[in-house]
Amino acid sequence: MTHVFHRDPRLKYPVAVRGEGPYLLDREGKRYLDASGGAAVSCLGHSDAAVIAAVQRQLQTLPFAHTSFFTNEPMEALADALIARAPKSFDKVYFVSGGSEAMEAALKLARQYFVEKGEPQRAHVIGRRQSYHGNTLGALAVGGNQWRRKQFEPLLIGATHVSPCYAYRGKQPGESDGDYGERLARELEGEFLRLNPQTVIAFVAETVAGATLGAVPPVPGYFKRVRDVCDRYGVLLILDEVMCGMGRCGTLWTFEQEGVVPDLVAVAKGLGAGYQAIGALLVSKQISDTIQQGSGFFQHGHTYIGHAAACAGALAVQKRLHDDGVLARVNPLGQALERRLRHQFGEHPHVGDIRGRGLFRGLELVEDRAKKKPFDPKLRMHARVKRKAMQAGLMCYPMGGTIDGVQGDHVLLAPPFIVNETQLDELVDKLSIAIDTLQEETI
Ligand SMILES: Cc1ncc(COP(=O)(O)O)c(C=O)c1O
């Protein structure tokens, strides 16, 4: 009997009692290799002594001071650390408590920017289908995850959506990456023109699409074309790196790899690495100056923004990434993981696509590989894989509705940056057990 309103009240969850590096242990002593960082959160594993000590120190001196009265040292230091490593156009950081809050702040700040700039007619936000930006109403509206949105549609602001950059299914036979990116950029421009570009606030996208599509990187040049289209019409580019950022794809900012700089970028998950609940919105100088020289006040805020202990934890995470070389592990380990995945599943009859970057990888599951035919959604293959993986002592992040919110299944992998190659072997062995369940189910 539980009084907790669990995510799925029909399930009986094991009780997590302890973390040890990349493993979580339940009350019965069973060990689970965390191959998904929960949901791409725990980039330093579950027992990082330096981060724990930093949070403890902060709690002993100053746990919390409301930001309408004070600033605090860890918040200032964390903002400095993030801005020092961001492109020059960024000047300010707005701290929040998670990814949805970071995206809500982005949407409101983008709107307020245009109001203060004397363009109050700008009212539309464009997102992409099969994207996810959070579960609060604004973020949910901009996201294109049909399954998550459907029953809340009457409450959502009227954002519109264009195609995701999803080469495995979206690219036409014989189409080059360049032509595909160009076609998508033209589709975006078409949406601007349909709405009247003077009324568009922003285009919102995950740099590498995360949980909804399953670690799908953009084709080369896609974001450059998108940036050009946005610039042509004075529309802001908001990138959501809540899941794919903070080193998960091999560089601190994933947009670095695309050769573009957004106007606003949201991060969370890996920022606090699970040791604290924190998110952040990086704000370009142009936007922050416009507000400062205008009303002087961003009309937003939550009680826990800039929480001192959360910022101290996130600052310690940054030190681990940069000073202790943890970030530099991501690309070589990512390649080692990719090699193993391709070796194990490259010819697997039910793995249609293996994709991703760094330690952010996705496998798309199919009934028929040659035809890219998805499984019947009624079979809920993603749920079966998750159940089997947990039985085998592996946390991975399978999802359904990959293609259109109903059809398609994938498995997302986002292991901690501290895993070693033996643990990658364990990951692939256990994942293989979980994925082979598909074979049994289809016989
Ligand atoms: C890309 C992306 N944006 C936003 C969010 C929302 O973050 P949170 O769950 O911390 O509110 C998520 C969460 O999975 C995400 O993956």
Side-chain angles (χ1 to χ4, degrees):
M1 172 62 172
T2 174
H3 294 293
V4 176
F5 200 151
H6 283 289
R7 280 177 184 256
D8 185 341
R10 296 159 303 185
L11 289 186
K12 194 165 181 321
Y13 294 91
V15 181
V17 292
R18 193 177 160 74
E20 273 180 26
Y23 295 93
L24 282 173
L25 280 76
D26 72 15
R27 204 158 51 188
E28 273 64 54
K30 180 167 172 177
R31 290 165 78 82
Y32 303 82
L33 176 62
D34 185 358
S36 57
V41 174
S42 304
C43 57
L44 298 179
H46 298 280
S47 53
D48 192 286
V51 180
I52 293 168
V55 175
Q56 283 172 339
R57 271 197 307 277
Q58 189 58 43
L59 287 174
Q60 274 156 4
T61 49
L62 175 80
F64 172 73
H66 197 283
T67 47
S68 69
F69 300 91
F70 293 102
T71 185
N72 64 67
E73 288 170 351
M75 173 165 70
E76 294 291 342
L78 179 59
D80 289 350
L82 292 172
I83 291 296
R85 290 197 153 82
K88 279 200 211 39
S89 55
F90 287 108
D91 189 40
K92 300 277 189 244
V93 188
Y94 190 82
F95 289 109
V96 289
S97 302
S100 304
E101 281 189 11
M103 288 307 296
E104 293 290 333
L107 298 173
K108 286 181 70 179
L109 185 56
R111 164 69 189 162
Q112 190 178 332
Y113 164 71
F114 282 119
V115 171
E116 304 224 354
K117 206 169 167 263
E119 298 180 52
Q121 81 287 355
R122 289 199 188 254
H124 295 293
V125 178
I126 302 170
R128 300 192 300 184
R129 288 189 287 280
Q130 292 304 93
S131 60
Y132 181 56
H133 300 297
N135 263 332
T136 49
L137 293 175
L140 191 64
V142 173
N145 183 316
Q146 290 311 321
W147 171 71
R148 292 185 194 260
R149 289 171 54 97
K150 205 161 176 230
Q151 63 178 317
F152 302 106
E153 292 271 351
L155 305 184
L156 303 181
I157 54 165
T160 62
H161 299 89
V162 294
S163 303
C165 187
Y166 178 21
Y168 176 61
R169 292 195 183 271
K171 213 166 96 170
Q172 286 163 2
E175 191 176 36
S176 70
D177 283 350
D179 288 348
Y180 177 46
E182 183 58 35
R183 178 159 63 81
L184 293 175
R186 277 206 306 273
E187 182 189 337
L188 179 62
E189 184 166 21
E191 185 61 5
F192 284 4
L193 295 170
R194 188 184 73 80
L195 293 166
N196 174 5
Q198 300 306 313
T199 67
V200 179
I201 296 173
F203 175 58
V204 179
E206 295 161 81
T207 317
V208 169
T212 304
L213 274 183
V216 176
V219 293
Y222 165 78
F223 272 112
K224 279 202 171 129
R225 291 181 167 90
V226 162
R227 179 76 264 189
D228 285 350
V229 173
C230 289
D231 288 347
R232 208 170 305 148
Y233 298 104
V235 171
L236 297 179
L237 176 61
I238 301 176
L239 291 184
D240 179 345
E241 299 205 351
V242 165
M243 193 175 245
C244 68
M246 291 291 103
R248 174 66 47 205
C249 290
T251 49
L252 189 64
W253 316 100
T254 303
F255 60 74
E256 291 174 56
Q257 300 171 25
E258 303 309 312
V260 296
V261 179
D263 301 288
L264 293 164
V265 59
V267 291
K269 299 194 186 262
L271 179 64
Y275 293 85
Q276 289 289 294
I278 184 166
L281 179 68
L282 261 78
V283 180
S284 73
K285 186 161 167 47
Q286 190 186 338
I287 295 176
S288 63
D289 281 355
T290 303
I291 306 286
Q292 280 180 34
Q293 289 153 20
S295 69
F297 176 70
F298 176 29
Q299 194 160 339
H300 194 54
H302 303 283
T303 300
Y304 290 123
I305 64 176
H307 192 284
C311 290
L315 185 61
V317 172
Q318 288 297 305
K319 288 189 178 139
R320 293 280 289 127
L321 292 185
H322 305 295
D323 302 351
D324 299 344
V326 178
L327 176 57
R329 295 171 56 83
V330 175
N331 274 329
L333 278 168
Q335 283 155 15
L337 175 59
E338 183 180 12
R339 273 196 306 279
R340 284 164 171 79
L341 292 173
R342 291 204 183 280
H343 179 258
Q344 191 73 25
F345 304 112
E347 303 297 324
H348 195 287
H350 296 308
V351 177
D353 192 29
I354 301 172
R355 56 203 180 211
R357 286 193 192 157
L359 285 172
F360 197 42
R361 301 280 166 176
L363 282 72
E364 187 159 334
L365 309 176
V366 286
E367 184 182 332
D368 184 320
R369 195 159 174 265
K371 296 192 184 127
K372 301 186 181 178
K373 183 178 170 224
F375 283 108
D376 181 345
K378 285 200 212 77
L379 293 172
R380 292 179 48 79
M381 286 306 195
H382 58 282
R384 295 176 194 224
V385 170
K386 182 169 180 184
R387 206 164 42 241
K388 193 83 177 175
M390 283 294 275
Q391 280 166 11
L394 181 76
M395 293 162 62
C396 58
Y397 191 173
M399 282 283 284
T402 314
I403 302 168
D404 55 8
V406 179
Q407 296 194 85
D409 301 87
H410 66 261
V411 180
L412 188 75
L413 299 171
F417 308 167
I418 52 145
V419 282
N420 59 37
E421 299 224 7
T422 312
Q423 288 154 348
L424 290 182
D425 289 337
E426 181 184 342
L427 185 166
V428 172
D429 287 349
K430 289 182 170 173
L431 185 61
S432 193
I433 296 171
I435 285 184
D436 281 347
T437 192
L438 300 177
Q439 202 103 10
E440 293 154 24
E441 302 294 346
T442 49
I443 288 167

